[in-house]
């Protein structure tokens, strides 16, 4: 965006500087697995959780629950749950077994802050927007996590979404109601740097496809 775009903005638009900041956070957000220890000050942590909690949710059901892990022994047990699934994922990948194990896919032990994010209990009561698409609860939690991810990037903190875990095993370590469901382990904190591109590209695991391949008009072509 350049200043000459200003005239095209609607009356409700942010200022050009603010618009650039929003797009910058979106473009420079990265999934982070390498952390430099340190801490996230309580005020910043509070802002990030408020950002998450400001997310849209289907029927305004707010299906998220953020469990902050501060007990080092709990963190160690969560790491073990992730590591066990990392091995099983590698096996499931077959001939990419060793290549996968060389990737860094989590920062559970090094990050300043660790959260388990779960879908809340009692979700079946919420029918609005979920009668035919019950997975809209997960979509809503994803919106919350993305808000937190972008706010963290803007504040200079890295965040990584870890989904490499067996939910039942995680629930043994972090007990929760039977109909709740953990969907993310979030690693958050100071990072040495933000890579310019997804780590999975830098490590030659895969390549992101360009936008035109994902947009069509009047049908799926
Ligand atoms: C729902 C979800 C789950 C993910 N789980 C993991 C994970 O377990 N381990 C990991 O290293 N990255 C995980 N990622 C990060 C993706 O690999 C990453 O977003 C993708 O490679 C693009 O990189 P970028 O986020 O830096 O743009 C996850 C991302 C999402 C959205």
């Amino acid at each position: 965006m350049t200043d000459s775009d200003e005239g095209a903005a609607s009356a409700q638009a942010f200022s050009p500087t603010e618009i650039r900041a929003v797009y910058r956070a979106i473009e420079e957000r990265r999934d982070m697995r390498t952390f430099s220890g340190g801490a996230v000050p309580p005020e910043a942590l509070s802002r990030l959780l408020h950002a998450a909690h400001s997310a849209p949710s289907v029927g305004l059901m707010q299906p998220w629950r953020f469990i902050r892990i501060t007990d080092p022994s709990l963190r160690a047990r969560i790491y073990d749950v992730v590591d066990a699934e990392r091995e099983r994922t590698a096996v499931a990948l077959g001939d990419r077994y060793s290549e996968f194990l060389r990737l860094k896919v989590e920062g559970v032990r090094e990050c300043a802050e660790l959260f388990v994010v779960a879908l809340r209990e009692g979700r079946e009561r919420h029918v609005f927007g979920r009668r035919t698409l019950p997975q809209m609860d997960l979509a809503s939690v994803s919106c919350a996590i993305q808000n937190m991810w972008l706010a963290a990037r803007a504040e200079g903190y890295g965040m990584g979404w870890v989904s490499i875990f067996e939910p039942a095993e995680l629930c043994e370590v972090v007990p929760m109601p039977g109909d709740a469901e953990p969907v993310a382990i979030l690693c958050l904190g100071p990072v040495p740097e933000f890579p310019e591109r997804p780590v999975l590209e830098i490590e030659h695991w895969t390549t992101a496809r360009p936008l035109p391949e994902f947009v069509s008009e009047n049908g799926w072509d």
Side-chain angles (χ1 to χ4, degrees):
M1 157 133 197
T2 65
D3 286 344
S4 61
D5 292 331
E6 199 174 357
S10 85
Q12 286 80 27
F14 293 176
S15 72
T17 306
E18 290 166 334
I19 295 172
R20 271 195 292 274
V22 170
Y23 282 106
R24 183 178 171 202
I26 291 169
E27 278 155 25
E28 296 187 17
R29 179 211 53 80
R30 292 271 74 84
D31 182 81
M32 296 303 301
R33 310 97 197 258
T34 302
F35 294 87
S36 40
V40 180
E43 318 79 57
L45 195 55
S46 169
R47 286 193 295 274
L48 298 184
L49 288 168
H50 275 95
H53 192 61
S54 303
S57 62
V58 67
L60 197 54
M61 72 179 286
Q62 299 178 299
W64 41 76
R65 183 83 187 227
F66 289 82
I67 305 170
R68 185 180 176 210
I69 306 297
T70 55
D71 176 347
S73 67
L74 204 49
R75 186 190 282 239
R77 292 176 67 202
I78 290 170
Y79 174 78
D80 290 343
V81 169
V82 171
D83 200 43
E85 177 52 31
R86 194 173 75 95
E87 173 66 24
R88 291 189 290 257
T89 297
V91 170
L93 283 164
D95 57 8
R96 298 194 83 183
Y97 173 88
S98 305
E99 195 187 347
F100 176 76
L101 285 182
R102 279 196 295 275
L103 292 173
K104 184 154 174 54
V105 291
E106 52 74 33
V108 171
R109 289 179 298 185
E110 312 94 80
C111 59
E113 291 284 341
L114 189 69
F115 284 89
V116 170
V117 184
L119 287 162
R120 292 193 58 145
E121 79 287 6
R123 300 189 307 288
E124 295 322 309
R125 288 197 304 274
H126 295 268
V127 176
F128 184 167
R130 295 184 64 243
R131 197 182 71 79
T132 57
L133 293 170
Q135 66 271 36
M136 291 303 105
D137 56 6
L138 177 57
S140 303
V141 172
S142 301
C143 290
I145 293 174
Q146 177 73 340
N147 269 10
M148 193 167 168
W149 223 334
L150 293 172
R153 177 62 191 91
E155 298 239 13
Y157 300 110
M159 198 172 97
W161 183 331
V162 180
S163 56
I164 297 175
F165 60 85
E166 170 57 52
E169 289 177 11
L170 189 59
C171 288
E172 279 174 24
V173 175
V174 183
M176 54 186 74
D179 58 342
E181 186 186 348
V183 294
I185 297 169
L186 298 183
C187 303
L188 171 72
V191 292
E193 60 179 357
F194 288 93
E196 280 186 14
R197 295 189 294 131
V199 171
L200 292 188
E201 281 194 339
I202 294 169
E203 298 293 334
H204 306 291
W205 176 262
T206 189
T207 315
R209 315 291 311 165
L211 176 63
E213 294 184 19
F214 298 85
V215 183
S216 60
E217 197 168 331
N218 300 323
W220 187 296
D221 51 47

